[in-house]
Amino acid sequence: MTLTREIAQQYQDHAIVSIEDYKIVAKGAFQGFDNLLAVQFIGVESIEDDAFRDCTSLEQVNLCDEITKIGSNAFTNTPIRYAQVSENLKLNQLFANKEPSRYYLRLYWGD
């Protein structure tokens, strides 16, 4: 199931969003949601292009093991300071086709 922009509209005023009933976050689904501070992904496999672009308050993402794709500019113009990932998630594969200089995340492993 895909979380589209139309579905995401219900979260527009939320500060924290947990995405758990969707496999795909569609292109531009949350783009420009200024109130969004944190996102938790549970069971999500793909974050498409521009999905969280211009979320100017987004500081935290919790990525799940199932993610196999992060699209172009998915988190462009977001002030992410904290990304929680599991040891099983292979970030080098997620960002394999991206310019390394464009991703500056401090990653924390643990519970």
Side-chain angles (χ1 to χ4, degrees):
M1 185 181 242
T2 300
L3 194 159
T4 63
R5 177 105 179 148
E6 292 76 26
I7 295 169
Q9 291 295 327
Q10 65 184 315
Y11 303 109
Q12 189 165 8
D13 295 325
H14 292 229
I16 300 170
V17 173
S18 180
I19 301 171
E20 49 188 291
D21 294 327
Y22 300 93
K23 298 291 182 193
I24 300 168
V25 179
K27 180 176 181 174
F30 290 85
Q31 186 172 354
F33 283 24
D34 295 333
N35 295 322
L36 192 58
L37 298 173
V39 179
Q40 178 177 18
F41 299 94
I42 301 170
V44 173
E45 296 173 358
S46 178
I47 302 169
E48 299 297 315
D49 299 347
D50 304 313
F52 293 90
R53 184 183 189 125
D54 300 325
C55 291
T56 56
S57 298
L58 182 58
E59 293 187 351
Q60 179 177 337
V61 294
N62 295 1
L63 302 171
C64 59
D65 290 346
E66 294 83 2
I67 293 176
T68 58
K69 176 188 174 191
I70 296 179
S72 296
N73 301 309
F75 294 98
T76 295
N77 199 26
T78 60
I80 295 174
R81 295 176 186 216
Y82 177 84
Q84 183 175 359
V85 299
S86 76
E87 291 181 43
N88 298 329
L89 187 63
K90 294 174 177 50
L91 287 178
N92 60 331
Q93 291 177 2
L94 293 178
F95 295 107
N97 298 320
K98 311 291 188 284
E99 298 174 34
S101 61
R102 295 180 61 196
Y103 294 92
Y104 295 103
L105 296 178
R106 180 176 298 174
L107 302 176
Y108 298 88
W109 276 265
D111 28 18

Coordinates of all heavy atoms in Angstrom, one line a residue, residues 28-103:
G28 N 6.8 13.2 -2.9 CA 6.3 14.4 -2.4 C 5.2 14.3 -1.4 O 4.5 15.3 -1.1
A29 N 5.0 13.1 -0.8 CA 3.9 12.9 0.1 C 3.8 13.9 1.3 O 2.8 14.4 1.6 CB 3.9 11.4 0.7
F30 N 4.9 14.2 1.9 CA 5.0 15.1 3.1 C 5.7 16.4 2.7 O 6.0 17.2 3.6 CB 5.7 14.4 4.2 CG 4.9 13.3 4.9 CD1 4.9 12.0 4.3 CD2 4.1 13.5 6.0 CE1 4.2 11.0 4.9 CE2 3.3 12.5 6.5 CZ 3.4 11.2 6.0
Q31 N 6.0 16.6 1.5 CA 6.8 17.8 1.1 C 6.2 19.1 1.6 O 5.0 19.3 1.5 CB 6.9 17.8 -0.4 CG 7.8 18.9 -0.9 CD 8.0 18.9 -2.4 OE1 7.6 17.9 -3.1 NE2 8.7 19.8 -3.0
G32 N 7.0 19.8 2.3 CA 6.6 21.1 2.8 C 5.8 21.1 4.1 O 5.3 22.2 4.5
F33 N 5.7 20.0 4.8 CA 5.0 19.9 6.1 C 5.9 20.6 7.1 O 6.8 20.0 7.7 CB 4.7 18.5 6.4 CG 3.5 17.9 5.7 CD1 3.1 18.4 4.4 CD2 2.8 16.8 6.2 CE1 2.1 17.8 3.8 CE2 1.8 16.3 5.5 CZ 1.4 16.8 4.3
D34 N 5.7 21.8 7.4 CA 6.5 22.6 8.3 C 6.4 22.2 9.8 O 7.4 22.5 10.6 CB 6.1 24.1 8.2 CG 6.5 24.7 6.9 OD1 7.4 24.2 6.2 OD2 5.8 25.6 6.5
N35 N 5.4 21.6 10.2 CA 5.2 21.2 11.6 C 5.8 19.9 12.0 O 6.0 19.6 13.2 CB 3.7 21.2 12.0 CG 3.0 22.5 11.9 OD1 3.6 23.5 12.3 ND2 1.8 22.6 11.4
L36 N 6.3 19.1 11.0 CA 6.8 17.8 11.3 C 8.2 17.8 11.9 O 9.1 18.4 11.3 CB 6.8 17.1 9.9 CG 7.1 15.6 10.0 CD1 6.0 14.8 10.8 CD2 7.1 15.0 8.5
L37 N 8.3 17.3 13.1 CA 9.5 17.2 13.8 C 10.2 15.9 13.8 O 11.5 15.8 13.7 CB 9.3 17.6 15.3 CG 8.7 18.9 15.6 CD1 8.4 19.0 17.1 CD2 9.7 20.0 15.2
A38 N 9.4 14.8 13.8 CA 10.0 13.4 13.8 C 9.1 12.5 13.0 O 7.9 12.6 13.0 CB 10.2 13.0 15.2
V39 N 9.8 11.5 12.4 CA 9.1 10.4 11.6 C 9.7 9.1 12.0 O 10.9 8.9 12.1 CB 9.2 10.6 10.1 CG1 8.5 9.5 9.4 CG2 8.7 11.9 9.7
Q40 N 8.8 8.1 12.3 CA 9.2 6.8 12.6 C 8.6 5.9 11.5 O 7.5 6.0 11.1 CB 8.7 6.3 13.9 CG 9.0 4.8 14.2 CD 8.5 4.4 15.6 OE1 7.7 5.0 16.2 NE2 9.1 3.3 16.1
F41 N 9.5 5.1 10.9 CA 9.1 4.2 9.8 C 9.1 2.7 10.3 O 10.1 2.3 10.9 CB 10.1 4.2 8.6 CG 10.2 5.6 8.0 CD1 11.2 6.5 8.4 CD2 9.3 6.0 7.0 CE1 11.3 7.8 7.9 CE2 9.4 7.3 6.5 CZ 10.4 8.1 6.9
I42 N 7.9 2.1 10.2 CA 7.8 0.7 10.6 C 7.3 -0.1 9.4 O 6.1 0.1 8.9 CB 6.8 0.5 11.8 CG1 7.3 1.4 13.0 CG2 6.6 -0.9 12.2 CD1 6.4 1.5 14.1
G43 N 8.1 -1.0 8.9 CA 7.7 -1.9 7.8 C 7.7 -1.2 6.4 O 7.3 -1.8 5.4
V44 N 8.1 0.1 6.3 CA 8.2 0.8 5.1 C 9.4 0.3 4.3 O 10.5 0.0 4.8 CB 8.4 2.3 5.3 CG1 8.7 3.1 4.1 CG2 7.2 2.9 6.1
E45 N 9.2 0.1 3.0 CA 10.2 -0.5 2.1 C 10.9 0.6 1.2 O 12.0 0.5 0.8 CB 9.7 -1.6 1.2 CG 9.2 -2.8 2.1 CD 8.5 -3.8 1.3 OE1 8.3 -3.7 0.0 OE2 8.2 -4.9 1.9
S46 N 10.1 1.7 0.9 CA 10.6 2.6 -0.1 C 10.1 4.1 0.3 O 8.9 4.3 0.6 CB 10.1 2.3 -1.5 OG 10.5 3.3 -2.4
I47 N 11.1 5.0 0.3 CA 10.8 6.4 0.5 C 11.1 7.1 -0.8 O 12.3 7.1 -1.2 CB 11.6 7.0 1.6 CG1 11.3 6.3 2.9 CG2 11.3 8.5 1.8 CD1 12.3 6.6 4.1
E48 N 10.1 7.5 -1.5 CA 10.2 8.0 -2.9 C 10.8 9.4 -3.0 O 10.9 10.1 -1.9 CB 8.9 7.9 -3.7 CG 8.4 6.5 -3.8 CD 9.2 5.6 -4.6 OE1 9.7 6.0 -5.7 OE2 9.5 4.4 -4.1
D49 N 11.2 9.9 -4.2 CA 11.7 11.2 -4.4 C 10.9 12.3 -3.7 O 9.7 12.2 -3.8 CB 11.8 11.5 -5.9 CG 12.6 10.5 -6.7 OD1 13.4 9.7 -6.1 OD2 12.5 10.5 -7.9
D50 N 11.6 13.2 -3.1 CA 11.0 14.4 -2.6 C 10.0 14.1 -1.5 O 9.2 15.0 -1.1 CB 10.3 15.3 -3.7 CG 11.2 15.7 -4.8 OD1 12.3 16.1 -4.5 OD2 10.8 15.5 -5.9
A51 N 9.9 12.9 -0.9 CA 8.9 12.6 0.0 C 8.8 13.5 1.2 O 7.7 13.8 1.7 CB 9.1 11.1 0.5
F52 N 9.9 13.9 1.8 CA 10.0 14.8 2.9 C 10.7 16.1 2.6 O 11.1 16.9 3.5 CB 10.6 14.1 4.1 CG 9.8 13.0 4.6 CD1 10.0 11.7 4.1 CD2 8.8 13.2 5.6 CE1 9.2 10.6 4.5 CE2 8.0 12.1 6.0 CZ 8.2 10.9 5.5
R53 N 10.9 16.4 1.4 CA 11.6 17.6 0.9 C 10.9 18.9 1.6 O 9.7 19.0 1.6 CB 11.6 17.7 -0.6 CG 12.3 18.9 -1.1 CD 12.2 19.0 -2.6 NE 13.1 20.0 -3.1 CZ 14.1 19.8 -4.0 NH1 14.2 18.6 -4.6 NH2 14.9 20.7 -4.4
D54 N 11.7 19.8 2.0 CA 11.3 21.1 2.5 C 10.4 21.0 3.8 O 9.6 21.8 4.1 CB 10.5 21.9 1.5 CG 11.3 22.2 0.3 OD1 12.5 22.5 0.4 OD2 10.8 22.2 -0.9
C55 N 10.6 19.9 4.6 CA 10.0 19.8 5.9 C 11.0 20.5 6.8 O 11.9 19.8 7.4 CB 9.8 18.3 6.3 SG 8.5 17.5 5.3
T56 N 10.9 21.8 7.0 CA 11.9 22.6 7.6 C 12.1 22.4 9.1 O 13.0 23.0 9.7 CB 11.7 24.1 7.2 OG1 10.3 24.4 7.6 CG2 11.8 24.3 5.7
S57 N 11.2 21.6 9.7 CA 11.4 21.4 11.1 C 11.8 20.0 11.4 O 12.0 19.6 12.6 CB 10.0 21.7 11.9 OG 9.7 23.1 11.7
L58 N 11.9 19.1 10.4 CA 12.1 17.7 10.6 C 13.5 17.5 11.1 O 14.5 17.7 10.4 CB 11.9 16.9 9.3 CG 12.1 15.4 9.4 CD1 11.2 14.8 10.4 CD2 11.9 14.8 8.0
E59 N 13.7 17.0 12.3 CA 15.0 16.8 13.0 C 15.3 15.4 13.2 O 16.5 15.1 13.5 CB 15.1 17.6 14.3 CG 15.0 19.1 14.1 CD 15.3 19.9 15.3 OE1 15.3 19.3 16.4 OE2 15.5 21.1 15.2
Q60 N 14.3 14.5 13.3 CA 14.6 13.1 13.7 C 13.9 12.1 12.8 O 12.7 12.3 12.5 CB 14.2 12.9 15.1 CG 14.4 11.5 15.6 CD 14.0 11.2 17.0 OE1 14.0 12.2 17.8 NE2 13.7 10.0 17.4
V61 N 14.6 11.1 12.3 CA 14.0 10.0 11.6 C 14.4 8.7 12.2 O 15.6 8.5 12.6 CB 14.3 10.0 10.1 CG1 13.7 11.2 9.4 CG2 15.8 10.0 9.8
N62 N 13.5 7.7 12.3 CA 13.8 6.4 12.8 C 13.6 5.4 11.6 O 12.4 5.2 11.3 CB 13.0 6.0 14.0 CG 13.3 6.9 15.2 OD1 14.1 7.8 15.1 ND2 12.6 6.6 16.3
L63 N 14.6 4.9 11.0 CA 14.5 4.1 9.8 C 14.4 2.6 10.2 O 15.1 2.2 11.1 CB 15.7 4.3 8.9 CG 15.9 5.8 8.5 CD1 17.3 5.9 7.7 CD2 14.8 6.2 7.6
C64 N 13.5 1.9 9.5 CA 13.4 0.5 9.8 C 14.2 -0.4 8.9 O 14.7 0.1 7.9 CB 11.9 0.1 9.7 SG 11.2 0.4 8.0
D65 N 14.4 -1.6 9.3 CA 15.2 -2.6 8.5 C 14.7 -2.8 7.1 O 15.5 -3.1 6.2 CB 15.3 -4.0 9.2 CG 16.0 -3.9 10.5 OD1 16.8 -3.0 10.7 OD2 15.9 -4.9 11.3
E66 N 13.4 -2.7 6.9 CA 12.8 -3.1 5.6 C 13.1 -2.1 4.5 O 12.9 -2.4 3.3 CB 11.3 -3.2 5.8 CG 10.9 -4.4 6.7 CD 10.9 -4.1 8.1 OE1 11.2 -2.9 8.5 OE2 10.6 -5.0 8.9
I67 N 13.6 -0.9 4.8 CA 13.8 0.1 3.8 C 14.9 -0.3 2.8 O 16.0 -0.7 3.2 CB 14.2 1.5 4.4 CG1 13.0 2.0 5.2 CG2 14.6 2.5 3.3 CD1 13.3 3.3 5.9
T68 N 14.5 -0.3 1.5 CA 15.5 -0.7 0.5 C 15.8 0.4 -0.5 O 16.6 0.3 -1.3 CB 15.0 -1.9 -0.3 OG1 13.7 -1.6 -0.9 CG2 14.9 -3.2 0.6
K69 N 15.0 1.5 -0.4 CA 15.2 2.6 -1.3 C 14.9 3.9 -0.6 O 13.8 4.1 0.1 CB 14.3 2.5 -2.5 CG 14.4 3.7 -3.4 CD 13.3 3.6 -4.5 CE 13.3 4.9 -5.4 NZ 12.2 5.0 -6.3
I70 N 15.7 4.9 -0.8 CA 15.5 6.3 -0.4 C 15.7 7.1 -1.7 O 16.8 7.1 -2.2 CB 16.4 6.8 0.7 CG1 16.1 6.0 2.0 CG2 16.2 8.3 1.0 CD1 17.0 6.4 3.2
G71 N 14.6 7.7 -2.2 CA 14.7 8.4 -3.5 C 15.5 9.7 -3.4 O 15.8 10.2 -2.4
S72 N 15.7 10.2 -4.6 CA 16.4 11.5 -4.8 C 15.7 12.6 -4.0 O 14.5 12.7 -4.1 CB 16.5 11.9 -6.2 OG 17.2 10.9 -6.9
N73 N 16.5 13.4 -3.3 CA 16.0 14.6 -2.6 C 14.9 14.2 -1.6 O 14.1 15.1 -1.2 CB 15.5 15.6 -3.6 CG 16.5 16.1 -4.5 OD1 17.6 16.4 -4.1 ND2 16.3 16.0 -5.8
A74 N 14.8 13.0 -1.1 CA 13.8 12.6 -0.2 C 13.8 13.4 1.1 O 12.7 13.7 1.7 CB 13.9 11.1 0.2
F75 N 15.0 13.9 1.5 CA 15.1 14.6 2.7 C 15.8 16.0 2.5 O 16.4 16.5 3.4 CB 15.8 13.8 3.8 CG 15.0 12.6 4.3 CD1 15.3 11.4 3.7 CD2 14.0 12.7 5.2 CE1 14.6 10.2 4.2 CE2 13.3 11.6 5.6 CZ 13.6 10.4 5.1
T76 N 15.8 16.5 1.3 CA 16.4 17.7 1.0 C 15.8 18.9 1.7 O 14.6 18.9 1.8 CB 16.4 18.0 -0.6 OG1 17.2 17.0 -1.2 CG2 16.9 19.4 -0.9
N77 N 16.6 19.8 2.2 CA 16.1 21.0 2.9 C 15.4 20.6 4.2 O 14.3 21.2 4.5 CB 15.3 21.9 2.0 CG 15.1 23.3 2.6 OD1 16.0 23.8 3.3 ND2 14.1 24.0 2.3
T78 N 15.9 19.6 4.9 CA 15.4 19.3 6.2 C 16.6 19.3 7.2 O 17.7 18.9 6.8 CB 14.8 17.8 6.3 OG1 15.8 16.9 5.9 CG2 13.6 17.7 5.3
P79 N 16.4 19.8 8.4 CA 17.5 20.0 9.4 C 17.7 18.7 10.2 O 17.8 18.8 11.4 CB 17.1 21.1 10.2 CG 15.6 21.0 10.2 CD 15.2 20.5 8.9
I80 N 17.7 17.5 9.6 CA 17.8 16.3 10.4 C 19.1 16.3 11.2 O 20.2 16.5 10.7 CB 17.7 15.1 9.5 CG1 16.4 15.0 8.8 CG2 18.0 13.8 10.2 CD1 16.3 13.9 7.8
R81 N 18.9 16.0 12.5 CA 20.1 16.0 13.4 C 20.3 14.6 13.9 O 21.3 14.2 14.4 CB 19.9 16.9 14.6 CG 19.8 18.4 14.2 CD 19.5 19.2 15.4 NE 19.3 20.6 15.0 CZ 19.7 21.6 15.7 NH1 20.2 21.4 16.9 NH2 19.5 22.8 15.3
Y82 N 19.2 13.8 13.9 CA 19.3 12.5 14.5 C 18.6 11.5 13.6 O 17.4 11.7 13.2 CB 18.6 12.5 15.9 CG 18.5 11.2 16.6 CD1 19.6 10.8 17.4 CD2 17.4 10.4 16.5 CE1 19.5 9.6 18.0 CE2 17.3 9.2 17.2 CZ 18.4 8.8 18.0 OH 18.3 7.6 18.6
A83 N 19.3 10.4 13.2 CA 18.7 9.3 12.5 C 19.0 8.0 13.2 O 20.2 7.7 13.4 CB 19.2 9.3 11.1
Q84 N 17.9 7.3 13.6 CA 18.1 6.1 14.3 C 18.0 4.9 13.3 O 17.0 4.9 12.6 CB 17.1 5.9 15.5 CG 17.4 4.6 16.2 CD 16.4 4.5 17.4 OE1 15.7 5.4 17.7 NE2 16.6 3.4 18.1
V85 N 18.9 4.1 13.2 CA 18.9 3.0 12.3 C 19.3 1.7 13.1 O 20.0 1.8 14.1 CB 19.8 3.2 11.1 CG1 19.4 4.4 10.3 CG2 21.2 3.3 11.5
S86 N 18.9 0.6 12.6 CA 19.4 -0.7 13.2 C 20.7 -1.1 12.5 O 21.0 -0.6 11.4 CB 18.3 -1.8 13.0 OG 18.3 -2.3 11.7
E87 N 21.4 -2.0 13.1 CA 22.6 -2.5 12.5 C 22.4 -3.3 11.2 O 23.3 -3.4 10.4 CB 23.3 -3.5 13.5 CG 23.8 -2.8 14.7 CD 24.5 -3.7 15.7 OE1 25.3 -4.6 15.2 OE2 24.3 -3.6 16.9
N88 N 21.2 -3.8 11.0 CA 20.9 -4.6 9.8 C 20.7 -3.7 8.6 O 20.8 -4.2 7.4 CB 19.6 -5.4 10.0 CG 19.8 -6.4 11.1 OD1 20.9 -6.9 11.4 ND2 18.8 -6.7 11.8
L89 N 20.3 -2.4 8.8 CA 20.1 -1.5 7.6 C 21.4 -1.1 7.0 O 22.3 -0.7 7.6 CB 19.3 -0.3 8.1 CG 18.8 0.7 7.1 CD1 17.8 0.0 6.2 CD2 18.2 1.9 7.7
K90 N 21.4 -1.3 5.7 CA 22.7 -1.1 4.9 C 22.6 0.3 4.2 O 22.1 0.4 3.1 CB 22.9 -2.2 3.9 CG 23.2 -3.5 4.6 CD 23.2 -4.7 3.6 CE 23.6 -6.0 4.3 NZ 22.8 -6.3 5.5
L91 N 23.0 1.3 4.9 CA 22.8 2.7 4.4 C 23.7 2.8 3.1 O 23.3 3.6 2.2 CB 23.2 3.7 5.4 CG 22.3 3.9 6.6 CD1 22.8 4.9 7.6 CD2 20.9 4.3 6.1
N92 N 24.8 2.2 3.1 CA 25.6 2.3 1.9 C 24.9 1.9 0.6 O 25.1 2.4 -0.5 CB 27.0 1.6 2.0 CG 26.8 0.1 2.3 OD1 25.8 -0.3 2.8 ND2 27.7 -0.7 1.9
Q93 N 24.0 0.9 0.7 CA 23.2 0.5 -0.4 C 22.1 1.4 -0.7 O 21.7 1.7 -1.8 CB 22.6 -0.9 -0.2 CG 23.7 -2.0 -0.2 CD 23.1 -3.4 0.1 OE1 21.9 -3.6 0.3 NE2 24.0 -4.4 0.2
L94 N 21.5 2.0 0.4 CA 20.4 3.0 0.2 C 20.9 4.2 -0.6 O 20.2 4.7 -1.4 CB 19.9 3.4 1.5 CG 19.1 2.4 2.4 CD1 18.7 3.0 3.7 CD2 17.9 1.8 1.6
F95 N 22.1 4.6 -0.3 CA 22.6 5.9 -0.9 C 23.6 5.6 -2.0 O 24.4 6.5 -2.3 CB 23.2 6.7 0.2 CG 22.2 7.2 1.2 CD1 22.2 6.7 2.5 CD2 21.3 8.2 0.9 CE1 21.3 7.1 3.4 CE2 20.4 8.6 1.8 CZ 20.4 8.1 3.1
A96 N 23.7 4.4 -2.5 CA 24.7 4.0 -3.4 C 24.7 4.8 -4.7 O 25.8 5.1 -5.2 CB 24.5 2.5 -3.8
N97 N 23.6 5.3 -5.1 CA 23.6 6.1 -6.4 C 23.5 7.6 -6.1 O 23.2 8.4 -7.0 CB 22.4 5.7 -7.2 CG 22.5 4.2 -7.6 OD1 23.6 3.8 -8.0 ND2 21.4 3.5 -7.6
K98 N 23.8 8.0 -4.9 CA 23.7 9.4 -4.5 C 25.1 10.0 -4.4 O 26.1 9.3 -4.1 CB 23.0 9.6 -3.2 CG 21.6 8.9 -3.2 CD 20.6 9.5 -4.1 CE 19.2 8.9 -4.0 NZ 19.0 7.6 -4.5
E99 N 25.2 11.3 -4.4 CA 26.5 11.9 -4.1 C 26.7 11.9 -2.6 O 25.9 12.5 -1.9 CB 26.5 13.4 -4.6 CG 26.2 13.5 -6.1 CD 26.1 15.0 -6.5 OE1 26.7 15.9 -5.8 OE2 25.3 15.3 -7.4
P100 N 27.8 11.3 -2.1 CA 28.0 11.2 -0.7 C 28.0 12.6 0.0 O 27.6 12.7 1.2 CB 29.4 10.5 -0.6 CG 29.7 10.0 -1.9 CD 28.9 10.7 -2.9
S101 N 28.5 13.6 -0.7 CA 28.6 14.9 0.0 C 27.3 15.5 0.3 O 27.2 16.5 1.0 CB 29.4 15.9 -0.9 OG 28.7 16.0 -2.1
R102 N 26.2 14.9 -0.2 CA 24.9 15.5 0.0 C 24.2 15.0 1.3 O 23.1 15.4 1.7 CB 24.0 15.2 -1.2 CG 24.5 16.0 -2.4 CD 23.6 15.7 -3.6 NE 22.3 16.2 -3.3 CZ 21.3 15.9 -4.0 NH1 21.4 15.0 -5.0 NH2 20.1 16.3 -3.8
Y103 N 24.8 14.0 1.9 CA 24.2 13.3 3.1 C 25.1 13.5 4.3 O 26.1 12.8 4.4 CB 23.9 11.9 2.8 CG 22.8 11.8 1.7 CD1 23.2 11.6 0.4 CD2 21.5 11.8 2.1 CE1 22.2 11.6 -0.6 CE2 20.5 11.8 1.1 CZ 20.9 11.6 -0.2 OH 19.9 11.6 -1.2

